[in-house]
Amino acid sequence: MSNVSGAILVIAEHDNAALKPATLNAVTAAAKIANSLGGDIHLLVAGQGAEAVADAASKVAGVSKVLLADDAAYAHALPENLAPLVVGLAKSYGHVLAAATSEGKNLLPRVAALLDVAAISDITGVVSADTFERPIYAGNAIATVQSSDAIKVITVRTTAFEAAATGGSAAVESVAGTGDAGSAKFVGQELTKSERPELTQAKIVVSGGRGMQSGENFKLLEALADKLGAAVGASRAAVDAGFVPNDYQVGQTGKIVAPELYIAVGISGAIQHLAGMKDSEVIVAINKDEEAPIFQVADYGLVADLFKAVPELTSAV
Amino acid sequence: MKILVPVKRVVDYNVKIRVKADGSGVETANVKMSMNPFDEIAVEEAVRCKEAGKATEVIVVTVGPAASQEALRTALAMGADRGILVQTDAETQPLAVAKVLKALVDKEGLNRNGSGLVILGKQAIDDDCNQTGQMLAALLGWPQGTFASKVVPGEGAVTVTREIDGGLETVELKLPAVVTADLRLNEPRYASLPNIMKAKKKPIDTLTPDALGVDVAPRLKTLKVAEPAKRKAGVKVADVAALVDKLKNDARAI
Ligand SMILES: Cc1cc2nc3c(=O)[nH]c(=O)nc-3n(C[C@H](O)[C@H](O)[C@H](O)COP(=O)(O)OP(=O)(O)OC[C@H]3O[C@@H](n4cnc5c(N)ncnc54)[C@H](O)[C@@H]3O)c2cc1C
Ligand SMILES: Nc1ncnc2c1ncn2[C@@H]1O[C@H](COP(=O)(O)O)[C@@H](O)[C@H]1O
């Protein structure tokens, strides 16, 4: 398999109306690879009626071309339909990247297997065009891995790369779709609605754990979050107990966040939770158990009953 | 319908791992090993399908060294019918595992009456790859329901609710299909002592990647494994007022 150029293809994530910010982090990772290769960066927008997305994509700094594949088969990012499209295009590229979101993780390994190449998940660093850093064991070790495959298929941990700026003016080129594989059907979605910033994009995150005791008590955290302009997150225990929806979960198997400020309330600090937040700039922990492991990563630890401390904090900020 | 469940033996999720001093990897000698937690959930789901009369047989498979049989025995004690050990001492990377699994799907005829199901974990907690299920689906040309929190097998199709970044998504997949289990799919049972005893009599076949015609040589070379950057030690604050002062004046975070 020969790749005709050192160009890099980044898969844009979107909802057919707007480009998702995670794409911008993936573009920055692509730019780091391009720096060592001198290659171009192209963005693929596959969707239905996604012209506005292609338009936004063309303005991302560093992107030289936008490929727009408009087809009803791509309306819901079903990997059964998208993978053949990406595989067809990938043969002209040296690298295929996407953000390590639920969508990117769903699609890229499927693409890699069809190309008979390894997939490199969740990179946090670019060492060179073929060598990358990625966390293993819930972030308790960092592996440096080298690929000898002709095409490198990579998902990018968004918190490890800045968002690319806007200011570009790439041309948009239409590409033909590959149709509906007919094996999977989108039935529906139940998206969590919130006025607050998105968890992975927020500058401040306030998270609650089992110590919150109920969904009702999360109102205490929401009041604090609203005052700080923060997003609300949770530990797995809080999600499993049904206090908040599953997409609030921060951790090894939930969302990875790295805000300027992370406030952990009633969370013990299991390694699986730390895996999702320990790269935050400033960490605050509020816990009544002074031995709780969360204090080992907290810049500021407050040993206190959360039901007293959180309302106090809310009125003090 | 036959269900195939791939299970991996990994360092137990409670173990605080140590990076080897020479940077060659993570210490796994004399460390507690267990079945990957997501795979327990996958086994549980398969066994429940069988108990509900929706599956005829649950086959568990592992790719790894002889000791990985322990994971198979655990799965058999949970109610799986038989096990397959594909024995290799090579590092097993997702693409290689997916190829082995594809060979087994063909060998076991999971596709024969168009209704087989493979349920994997969504992610192995050692390599944190989250790839194998998607790769297997690609190689088989089957649809995939990843990160499943609900699986409802029906006539010729399976409905899967998936945990996605914004909430939940439901897809309907034609059988045969691949599903990967997320944490909230179910709560795996503990194997009872009688079932652990019974599991000792259940059959485990041993094969090799070679016999299946699969090259499992790693595609990615690990150049080094290092400890992550350590956070500098923090301080305890006496009360909320002191916390707010620190956040405003020292950290300038609010
Ligand atoms: C495969 C696998 C993957 C996992 N993935 C994740 C993941 O992605 N994210 C995640 O979070 N977890 C994950 N977990 C679970 C993880 O191991 C822990 O079980 C979980 O993080 C614990 O949540 P918690 O800290 O809220 O609960 P607990 O450990 O029960 O801690 C509750 C804390 O609240 C404190 N508390 C109680 N009452 C008060 C009060 N009134 N005031 C102040 N403090 C109080 C207690 O002192 C305690 O420290 C995973 C586990 C496995 C096996
Ligand atoms: N060596 C292996 N043997 C059996 N199953 C495996 C193996 N490696 C991965 N799997 C399966 O693939 C899932 C995802 O693993 P991974 O892609 O490595 O994160 C696991 O939860 C298992 O179900």
Side-chain angles (χ1 to χ4, degrees):
Chain A
M1 231 175 278
S2 71
N3 42 302
V4 293
S5 70
I8 300 169
L9 182 66
V10 179
I11 317 296
E13 189 166 329
H14 61 86
D15 57 4
N16 294 312
L19 186 66
K20 293 264 170 78
T23 308
L24 302 175
N25 307 97
V27 168
T28 298
K32 293 220 156 124
I33 298 168
N35 274 344
S36 64
L37 283 176
D40 279 355
I41 300 172
H42 299 172
L43 260 179
L44 170 67
V45 176
Q48 183 182 30
E51 291 80 11
V53 179
D55 195 45
S58 71
K59 299 198 171 77
V60 177
V63 173
S64 63
K65 194 174 9 172
V66 173
L67 306 176
L68 174 61
D70 208 306
D71 190 320
Y74 307 139
H76 301 290
L78 292 174
E80 294 80 0
N81 296 347
L82 278 176
L85 172 72
V86 178
V87 166
L89 296 168
K91 291 176 181 155
S92 335
Y93 293 88
H95 295 76
V96 178
L97 273 68
T101 54
S102 57
E103 199 175 305
K105 290 175 185 170
N106 195 27
L107 174 65
L108 282 213
R110 189 165 177 118
V111 168
L114 292 172
L115 291 167
D116 192 28
V117 301
I120 310 168
S121 293
D122 235 346
I123 64 161
T124 51
V126 173
V127 178
S128 71
D130 67 2
T131 305
F132 309 93
E133 288 173 350
R134 59 176 304 266
I136 55 175
Y137 289 92
N140 288 298
I142 308 293
T144 305
V145 296
Q146 185 176 39
S147 160
S148 52
D149 286 321
I151 305 174
K152 279 94 181 146
V153 175
I154 297 167
T155 60
V156 175
R157 180 168 289 200
T158 55
T159 54
F161 298 89
E162 303 264 296
T166 50
S169 56
V172 179
E173 190 181 291
S174 281
V175 294
T178 45
D180 194 329
S183 59
K185 202 168 81 193
F186 172 83
V187 177
Q189 259 180 357
E190 229 177 275
L191 299 183
T192 307
K193 285 200 188 65
S194 168
E195 301 294 308
R196 295 185 194 90
E198 207 201 311
L199 196 47
T200 53
Q201 303 293 333
K203 289 197 161 54
I204 303 181
V205 173
V206 179
S207 281
R210 198 193 316 264
M212 295 307 298
Q213 289 175 14
S214 72
E216 183 64 22
N217 290 337
F218 259 78
K219 293 216 171 99
L220 295 173
L221 297 188
E222 287 164 6
L224 176 59
D226 287 342
K227 229 158 154 199
L228 295 170
V232 178
S235 71
R236 175 188 171 189
V239 174
D240 283 2
F243 301 169
V244 286
N246 63 279
D247 52 296
Y248 279 45
Q249 182 175 315
V250 171
Q252 180 184 19
T253 53
K255 292 208 170 81
I256 310 288
V257 301
E260 288 166 17
L261 175 61
Y262 187 90
I263 305 179
V265 182
I267 293 178
S268 62
I271 52 171
Q272 294 85 6
H273 188 78
L274 302 186
M277 46 63 79
K278 70 181 160 57
D279 292 327
S280 305
E281 261 168 62
V282 176
I283 297 175
V284 169
I286 301 176
N287 196 304
K288 67 178 180 191
D289 171 11
E290 63 177 319
E291 303 291 326
I294 190 77
F295 288 123
Q296 290 162 21
V297 300
D299 299 284
Y300 305 114
L302 177 61
V303 181
D305 187 309
L306 72 92
F307 294 103
K308 185 167 164 290
V310 173
E312 261 180 60
L313 183 56
T314 305
S315 50
V317 294
Chain B
M1 172 170 82
K2 282 190 190 182
I3 304 182
L4 185 72
V5 184
V7 299
K8 187 178 188 186
R9 178 174 177 264
V10 298
V11 172
D12 186 85
Y13 78 97
N14 274 315
V15 170
K16 175 116 188 57
I17 60 108
R18 281 203 351 260
V19 172
K20 286 186 192 162
D22 65 0
S24 64
V26 164
E27 195 58 71
T28 52
N30 302 316
V31 171
K32 185 179 178 211
M33 306 289 282
S34 307
M35 194 197 311
N36 183 41
F38 290 97
D39 304 352
E40 287 186 10
I41 297 170
V43 171
E44 176 68 33
E45 195 66 18
V47 170
R48 286 187 194 181
C49 279
K50 189 179 171 196
E51 286 167 350
K54 289 178 175 165
T56 49
E57 189 180 28
V58 176
I59 311 164
V60 287
V61 50
T62 192
V63 188
S68 335
Q69 275 187 72
E70 284 170 27
L72 294 179
R73 286 288 168 211
T74 309
L76 295 174
M78 288 173 70
D81 297 298
R82 63 187 166 94
I84 302 172
L85 166 67
V86 180
Q87 199 170 336
T88 171
D89 290 328
E91 178 197 342
T92 53
Q93 293 186 349
L95 182 61
V97 175
K99 287 180 178 177
V100 167
L101 296 174
K102 171 172 191 304
L104 288 174
V105 164
D106 294 341
K107 184 168 181 285
E108 293 289 339
L110 251 71
N111 205 357
R112 208 158 287 151
N113 43 19
S115 68
L117 194 60
V118 183
I119 311 181
L120 305 89
K122 87 160 175 183
Q123 164 176 353
I125 61 163
D126 50 1
D127 62 24
D128 281 335
C129 275
N130 194 333
Q131 297 173 0
T132 309
Q134 296 88 314
M135 288 184 150
L136 175 63
L139 299 177
L140 290 165
W142 292 5
Q144 65 190 49
T146 54
F147 328 146
S149 62
K150 194 171 170 202
V151 177
V152 185
E155 270 312 307
V158 56
T159 304
V160 180
T161 304
R162 309 178 51 235
E163 297 205 7
I164 59 169
D165 288 341
L168 295 171
E169 175 186 279
T170 306
V171 289
E172 192 185 291
L173 311 174
K174 279 202 181 137
L175 289 171
V178 171
V179 166
T180 75
D182 213 322
L183 292 171
R184 278 167 285 275
L185 182 54
N186 60 50
E187 275 218 41
R189 70 194 69 188
Y190 287 103
S192 66
L193 197 57
N195 284 341
I196 293 172
M197 300 313 289
K198 255 198 257 165
K200 293 195 168 141
K201 298 201 191 75
K202 292 185 179 173
I204 293 183
D205 276 346
T206 303
L207 298 167
T208 61
D210 267 355
L212 292 166
V214 177
D215 174 10
V216 292
R219 293 292 188 82
L220 287 181
K221 194 164 136 198
T222 299
L223 302 182
K224 77 169 187 226
V225 175
E227 299 243 3
K230 282 235 157 45
R231 290 188 75 92
K232 61 175 178 9
V235 294
K236 290 251 170 70
V237 292
D239 51 28
V240 168
L243 174 61
V244 172
D245 176 62
K246 291 276 187 201
L247 287 176
K248 280 197 171 139
N249 301 315
D250 287 3
R252 297 182 190 280
I254 55 172

